[in-house]
Amino acid sequence: MFELYNNTMQTITVIIPTYNEENYIQDCLRSVSFADQIIIIDSFSSDKTLEFTKEFECEIIQRKFDNFSNQKNEAIKLAKSDWILFIDADERVTEKLKYEIKETLENPKHQAYKIKFPHFYMNRFLYHTENRVVRLVKNENIHFEGEVHEKLLHQGNVGLLKNFMIHYTYKGLFNYIKKKDSYAWFQAKMSKDKNKSANYFFLVFKPFYRFFHTYIIRRGFLDGVPGLAVAIIDAYGVFSRYVKMILLEKGLK
């Protein structure tokens, strides 16, 4: 494995959850080849995902999927490095981000760092429609909670890295909508378990606010038609969640 870090550099483990990622996993692994340890937590892929990892130096765990948090928490137990970088198979660490991580870990000022993720939609990156997520974190008393859009619980304060993580989120319109529906069921069930209720006001207001927030506040309109499409589908995802919450409350699902 390529040695990016000098002797004073703190070590880093990369954790990658996978399920049927044969089209993405090799490019992902190439982008994180600088890591001291790479752990793949696989949900028993039925394609060639694991076969395509053989040329890389990585550790593979197979675990039946129950939720996103438990998958990652299982991999955390095997992380041996000072720091952990969490990355999905359809994401890539760019050269600029790689060297920013290197420089940051030479003298870290925070215990965790957020990374910017521009949406990839309609064959272009939408730099005004980005997410900022904690992905680089000190390997001390950390774990995830939540079944979907899981939250990373960690100690200490949070910084922000300047460079982007490439994320090929868009695999087709119907895939994108299907993904939103799948997440909506997870979120609806989580809300029900927490005794949260939905009403028809939320069914109208929440999707409208999500569209307004994505398209206006986060300046998605600067990304043209793809920015508009993302805002609409984001709003649909919120609408779908509240519809499913109502169905669960009425015992119709």
Side-chain angles (χ1 to χ4, degrees):
M1 190 173 295
F2 176 70
E3 189 68 31
L4 177 67
Y5 299 108
N6 59 35
N7 292 331
T8 62
M9 178 62 62
Q10 297 190 65
T11 55
I12 183 168
T13 291
V14 171
I15 291 177
I16 310 172
T18 60
Y19 177 69
N20 290 348
E21 301 286 359
E22 62 180 11
N23 294 326
Y24 297 92
I25 189 61
Q26 288 188 317
D27 285 341
C28 176
L29 288 171
R30 290 188 188 100
S31 79
V32 297
S33 61
F34 61 88
D36 299 278
Q37 179 188 27
I38 299 175
I39 300 173
I40 292 177
I41 176 77
D42 183 72
S43 305
F44 292 96
S45 292
S46 57
D47 66 358
K48 295 182 179 179
T49 296
L50 299 187
E51 181 180 337
F52 287 171
T53 67
K54 290 180 179 179
E55 66 182 81
F56 300 91
E57 188 177 339
C58 53
E59 302 172 29
I60 297 173
I61 316 164
Q62 286 194 297
R63 181 182 186 276
K64 183 178 179 181
F65 181 86
D66 49 5
N67 62 59
F68 295 100
S69 290
N70 288 343
Q71 291 296 97
K72 293 178 181 178
N73 288 335
E74 190 68 23
I76 289 172
K77 296 176 184 177
L78 300 179
K80 302 173 183 176
S81 302
D82 302 306
W83 290 77
I84 299 179
L85 174 66
F86 296 94
I87 178 173
D88 292 338
D90 59 357
E91 297 170 350
R92 309 287 179 266
V93 175
T94 64
E95 287 296 309
K96 288 184 178 180
L97 179 58
K98 178 171 67 176
Y99 285 103
E100 183 180 7
I101 290 172
K102 172 187 175 182
E103 293 173 359
T104 298
L105 295 190
E106 287 177 352
N107 184 26
K109 295 179 173 57
H110 305 278
Q111 285 69 51
Y113 290 88
K114 288 184 177 182
I115 299 177
K116 302 175 184 178
F117 290 81
H119 286 260
F120 179 77
Y121 194 72
M122 295 184 179
N123 294 320
R124 59 179 285 194
F125 287 101
L126 313 183
Y127 291 102
H128 297 95
T129 310
E130 68 175 42
N131 295 322
R132 299 182 176 189
V133 187
V134 173
R135 289 295 192 87
L136 179 63
V137 62
K138 187 75 173 175
N139 185 14
E140 293 178 353
N141 300 319
I142 62 171
H143 72 279
F144 285 88
E145 68 174 19
E147 294 186 8
V148 65
H149 294 311
E150 61 278 12
K151 183 178 180 181
L152 176 59
L153 301 182
H154 58 86
Q155 298 179 333
N157 52 11
V158 180
L160 174 66
L161 298 182
K162 296 178 181 178
N163 290 289
F164 293 98
M165 177 89 79
I166 298 300
H167 186 194
Y168 292 100
T169 49
Y170 183 66
K171 302 179 178 70
L173 179 62
F174 293 109
N175 179 275
Y176 196 20
I177 294 174
K178 182 180 178 181
K179 185 176 181 180
K180 288 290 184 181
D181 272 325
S182 176
Y183 282 176
W185 276 120
F186 273 113
Q187 292 170 323
K189 291 174 182 176
M190 286 174 60
S191 296
K192 185 174 184 297
D193 291 342
K194 295 178 181 179
N195 295 319
K196 293 183 179 180
S197 60
N199 57 51
Y200 291 100
F201 172 76
F202 283 164
L203 192 63
V204 175
F205 175 75
K206 291 286 189 177
F208 170 78
Y209 179 77
R210 175 60 63 87
F211 175 85
F212 180 79
H213 184 266
T214 301
Y215 194 63
I216 303 298
I217 296 178
R218 296 177 62 183
R219 301 186 298 169
F221 62 88
L222 295 176
D223 288 315
V225 173
L228 176 62
V230 167
I232 291 172
I233 295 175
D234 277 356
Y236 165 76
V238 175
F239 175 79
S240 179
R241 182 203 317 166
Y242 283 99
V243 167
K244 290 169 173 55
M245 286 177 65
I246 292 172
L247 290 175
L248 289 173
E249 289 173 9
K250 294 181 179 296
L252 298 177
K253 177 64 178 182

